[in-house]
Amino acid sequence: MSQLPLRSIEAFVVVARAGNLAQAAARLNITVPAVSRRIQILERYLGAKLFDRQPRGLSLTEAGEKYFSELGPAWDCLWKATIAATWSVRRDAFKVSVIPTFAANWLVPRLARSRLRLAGLEVEIETSPDIVDLRERDDLDCAIRLGLGPWPGTVGQRFLPIKAYPVASPDFVARNRLESPADLARQTLIGSGHQPDFWPEWFRHAGIGSGQGRHKSFDNLQLVYEAAAAGLGVAIGLDPLVRPYLESGRLLRLWRDDVTLSRSFHLVRRTDRVESNRFDLFRSWLMGETAVAA
Amino acid sequence: MSQLPLRSIEAFVVVARAGNLAQAAARLNITVPAVSRRIQILERYLGAKLFDRQPRGLSLTEAGEKYFSELGPAWDCLWKATIAATWSVRRDAFKVSVIPTFAANWLVPRLARSRLRLAGLEVEIETSPDIVDLRERDDLDCAIRLGLGPWPGTVGQRFLPIKAYPVASPDFVARNRLESPADLARQTLIGSGHQPDFWPEWFRHAGIGSGQGRHKSFDNLQLVYEAAAAGLGVAIGLDPLVRPYLESGRLLRLWRDDVTLSRSFHLVRRTDRVESNRFDLFRSWLMGETAVAA
DNA sequence: CTTCAGCATGCGTGTCCCTCATGCACCACA
DNA sequence: TGTGGTGCATGAGGGACACGCATGCTGAAG
């Protein structure tokens, strides 16, 4: 007496868009096997294969393609309508509190090319170098935080691990002989003030006594990287954040070794607020982005 | 970590269309309390009231109206796409085997004004006075049967109880004095040949020895009623089927007493076939029709 | 005033679905 | 050709969710 396998249909849409189960699972906030089963259920229900299982992910079959072309828009419409109906009063944007560096180097670029607005969600970013207490800011819907978690009054989940490695400007590298981590002792190390400094944790992993060189501190990571790019010294690069600098060539990674930090990025919301579909949508998008970024 | 309450959204669409929980429950094939809860869940999730609970059923609030206006089409689209994707090969109609009288007096009129075709399901009716063995007819998707059930090789559910009462033409009533069931002994009783005759069961309930009058039999109920309308005698009217005759005035109900027969209409499908969404859709529609017809 | 229709709620239970662990196929690289 | 890695499928077990039943409640009709 089964009805439409709705959860399977949902999974189908997400998988079709993602192209692989891992990213879809992240978006759906369930595990890969669970997604796999959902797809199987739908395929059995329809009596048709929807995906070709290929060594590198899945791709839609002809039937799947056709089904998806009709289903996708309908699903978006459903989402959009549901978002719009949420506290129909609340036509305001979905506000997220983030540290400036993450906003500039990760969040904003991805938001720009996302489908979120199409899905009916307007996202507004508020940056703050310090951790904002969500309980005192009713206008904020959630926050993205860098640290160990949990934070009082919030629930959340880790969504992006951080790798760290020393970086410096090409010019700086050319002028100084930096052959092994031990050479760092003679250099100026640029750290962050507001955010906990990541040098100690890196030195610990690298097996060297904490850096003996001179230290410089800046309030925010953006300034840290800018300083390094200007040739002021060696900074500790946090992997997703520093990438734009590496890609543009303004900074170089000194050695291949990297360290996965204990701190990572977390998405948190207030414990005392009902989880809204706006939050669902945002998290879904966020998880999908990180899964693909791996 | 909840996702969209899809089952609740489904329920919302169905309830919004039905206007009351009972009919919606029938369509969804679940109980009334279950539907009630689904709606509550959605309302909590959205943070908005969707229905005004009125003494006579529910009606959409303004917010609900708006939500439904966007959701309804999307939902239909989803259904349609899913139907279309079902064994993408099978573009043929959904074939139902029915007895002729039921087709003519109940099914066809309702099908005509239904949204089924809009939803993407083409229904084809095959009438047969005898019970067709579904196992021998691969082209049939399901059957509607009058009887006690179950039938070998099938699963199904009762969906329409039958009330029975004697009927005769206005002319016949004028010519003969028919004041109590006992008077039937002197009259010609018109029964059916193929279908089991319903007179005996009626007499048993009425507390009278089986009718002593002359009997006439016809192959199908349509002919039975036509014969009665022509003044040939008294027929036993089966409630949903004989109604068109009563409404047009061609037949009159003799007494207010009625009997609910042990036999009723059942919707059945083959046990050995996976329940398809086409069947789901058809059943959903059928259940909704009977709930409203009550 | 009684009865009935129709929706809400408490409680117990069954079932579905998810997670974890493992297996398998394919590709890349040595 | 072996080895590691990626990505999906499958088996077992458990937990949460949602359904059904019984009952209560409210407003209207007889």
Side-chain angles (χ1 to χ4, degrees):
Chain A
M1 294 304 166
S2 81
Q3 287 301 102
L4 273 189
L6 294 173
R7 299 246 89 102
S8 295
I9 291 176
E10 175 186 33
F12 170 70
V13 173
V14 176
V15 172
R17 292 230 168 89
N20 66 75
L21 295 193
Q23 188 181 350
R27 280 212 154 82
L28 294 167
N29 207 31
I30 57 178
T31 60
V32 169
V35 181
S36 173
R37 282 223 173 70
R38 284 193 184 182
I39 299 298
Q40 288 177 50
I41 288 170
L42 183 58
E43 288 184 326
R44 255 203 304 280
Y45 183 79
L46 296 177
K49 271 193 59 177
L50 295 170
F51 291 101
D52 281 322
R53 272 68 171 177
Q54 292 173 341
R56 223 68 174 172
L58 324 86
S59 69
L60 286 166
T61 62
E62 193 175 340
E65 193 76 58
K66 184 159 182 308
Y67 187 38
F68 178 67
S69 70
E70 300 175 33
L71 205 55
W75 195 260
D76 288 340
C77 182
L78 190 151
W79 255 109
K80 216 166 147 180
T82 305
I83 297 278
T86 304
W87 301 310
S88 359
V89 193
R90 304 200 52 186
R91 305 207 168 284
D92 55 334
F94 183 80
K95 285 187 83 172
V96 189
S97 169
V98 198
I99 58 170
T101 323
F102 184 77
N105 296 332
W106 198 95
L107 189 55
V108 171
R110 282 155 219 267
L111 261 180
R113 59 167 189 270
S114 85
R115 304 164 42 91
L116 272 183
R117 185 164 317 181
L118 287 179
L121 187 71
E122 186 86 26
V123 177
E124 188 177 314
I125 297 172
E126 176 179 304
T127 62
S128 152
D130 299 308
I131 285 182
V132 175
D133 192 332
L134 292 182
R135 290 170 296 185
E136 297 172 358
R137 291 288 305 279
D138 275 347
D139 59 321
L140 290 177
D141 292 278
C142 69
I144 292 175
R145 293 179 174 173
L146 174 53
L148 297 169
W151 291 268
T154 68
V155 290
Q157 58 187 306
R158 192 167 162 278
F159 80 93
L160 188 60
I162 299 174
K163 287 185 298 186
Y165 38 77
V167 293
S169 72
D171 184 52
F172 187 90
V173 170
R175 280 188 288 110
N176 299 275
R177 185 160 307 233
L178 295 167
E179 287 172 345
S180 82
D183 296 334
L184 290 178
R186 295 176 287 106
Q187 305 300 338
T188 299
L189 302 182
I190 311 175
S192 54
H194 267 80
Q195 293 298 328
D197 197 358
F198 297 97
W199 276 116
E201 186 165 1
W202 187 83
F203 276 116
R204 206 176 316 123
H205 276 90
I208 312 175
S210 60
Q212 302 301 330
R214 288 153 294 163
H215 277 72
K216 261 198 160 57
S217 277
F218 292 95
D219 263 11
N220 96 32
L221 287 174
Q222 199 79 20
L223 293 179
V224 170
Y225 299 145
E226 288 296 336
L232 263 68
V234 180
I236 185 86
L238 303 192
D239 184 62
L241 300 185
V242 79
R243 283 207 192 166
Y245 288 86
L246 301 179
E247 284 159 12
S248 68
R250 298 180 65 207
L251 287 176
L252 292 180
R253 193 169 160 175
L254 297 188
W255 306 284
R256 301 275 352 136
D257 321 274
D258 55 31
V259 169
T260 298
L261 297 179
S262 52
R263 293 187 187 88
S264 51
F265 282 105
H266 294 250
L267 171 65
V268 301
R269 62 173 179 88
R270 289 172 60 155
T271 309
D272 58 351
R273 275 233 192 123
V274 183
E275 183 167 8
S276 74
N277 47 358
R278 309 193 327 157
F279 180 78
D280 273 350
L281 182 54
F282 183 71
R283 179 187 56 202
S284 169
W285 171 77
L286 201 62
M287 295 301 152
E289 285 296 322
T290 62
V292 81
Chain B
M1 294 304 164
S2 79
Q3 286 301 102
L4 273 189
L6 295 173
R7 300 246 88 103
S8 295
I9 291 175
E10 175 185 34
F12 169 70
V13 174
V14 175
V15 172
R17 291 231 168 87
N20 66 73
L21 295 194
Q23 188 181 349
R27 280 213 154 83
L28 294 166
N29 206 32
I30 57 179
T31 60
V32 170
V35 180
S36 173
R37 282 217 178 73
R38 284 193 183 182
I39 298 298
Q40 289 175 51
I41 288 171
L42 183 58
E43 289 183 325
R44 255 202 305 281
Y45 183 79
L46 296 177
K49 270 193 60 176
L50 295 170
F51 290 102
D52 281 322
R53 272 69 173 179
Q54 293 173 341
R56 222 65 172 172
L58 326 85
S59 69
L60 286 165
T61 61
E62 193 175 340
E65 194 77 59
K66 184 160 182 307
Y67 188 37
F68 178 67
S69 70
E70 301 175 34
L71 206 55
W75 195 260
D76 288 340
C77 182
L78 190 150
W79 255 109
K80 215 167 148 179
T82 305
I83 298 278
T86 305
W87 302 309
S88 355
V89 193
R90 304 201 53 186
R91 306 207 166 284
D92 53 335
F94 183 80
K95 286 187 84 170
V96 189
S97 169
V98 199
I99 58 170
T101 322
F102 184 76
N105 296 332
W106 199 95
L107 189 54
V108 170
R110 282 156 219 265
L111 261 182
R113 59 169 189 270
S114 86
R115 304 164 41 89
L116 272 183
R117 185 165 316 182
L118 286 179
L121 187 70
E122 186 86 25
V123 178
E124 189 177 315
I125 297 173
E126 175 177 306
T127 62
S128 152
D130 299 307
I131 285 182
V132 175
D133 191 332
L134 293 182
R135 290 169 297 185
E136 297 172 358
R137 292 287 306 280
D138 274 348
D139 59 322
L140 290 177
D141 291 278
C142 69
I144 293 175
R145 293 180 175 173
L146 175 53
L148 297 169
W151 291 267
T154 67
V155 291
Q157 57 188 307
R158 192 165 160 278
F159 80 93
L160 188 61
I162 300 174
K163 288 185 299 186
Y165 38 76
V167 293
S169 72
D171 184 52
F172 187 90
V173 170
R175 281 189 286 110
N176 300 275
R177 184 157 309 231
L178 295 166
E179 287 170 346
S180 83
D183 296 334
L184 289 178
R186 296 176 286 106
Q187 305 300 337
T188 299
L189 302 183
I190 310 175
S192 54
H194 267 80
Q195 293 298 328
D197 198 358
F198 298 96
W199 276 116
E201 187 165 0
W202 187 82
F203 275 117
R204 207 177 316 124
H205 276 89
I208 311 174
S210 59
Q212 302 301 331
R214 289 153 292 164
H215 277 72
K216 261 199 160 57
S217 277
F218 293 94
D219 263 11
N220 100 29
L221 287 173
Q222 199 77 20
L223 293 180
V224 169
Y225 299 145
E226 288 296 336
L232 263 67
V234 180
I236 185 84
L238 303 192
D239 186 63
L241 300 185
V242 78
R243 283 207 190 164
Y245 289 87
L246 301 179
E247 283 159 12
S248 69
R250 298 180 64 205
L251 286 176
L252 292 181
R253 192 167 160 175
L254 296 187
W255 306 285
R256 299 270 0 130
D257 321 273
D258 55 32
V259 168
T260 298
L261 297 180
S262 54
R263 293 188 187 87
S264 51
F265 282 105
H266 293 249
L267 171 65
V268 301
R269 65 173 177 88
R270 289 172 61 155
T271 308
D272 59 351
R273 275 231 192 128
V274 183
E275 183 168 10
S276 74
N277 46 357
R278 306 190 336 153
F279 180 78
D280 273 349
L281 182 56
F282 183 72
R283 178 187 55 201
S284 169
W285 172 77
L286 201 62
M287 294 301 150
E289 285 296 322
T290 62
V292 80

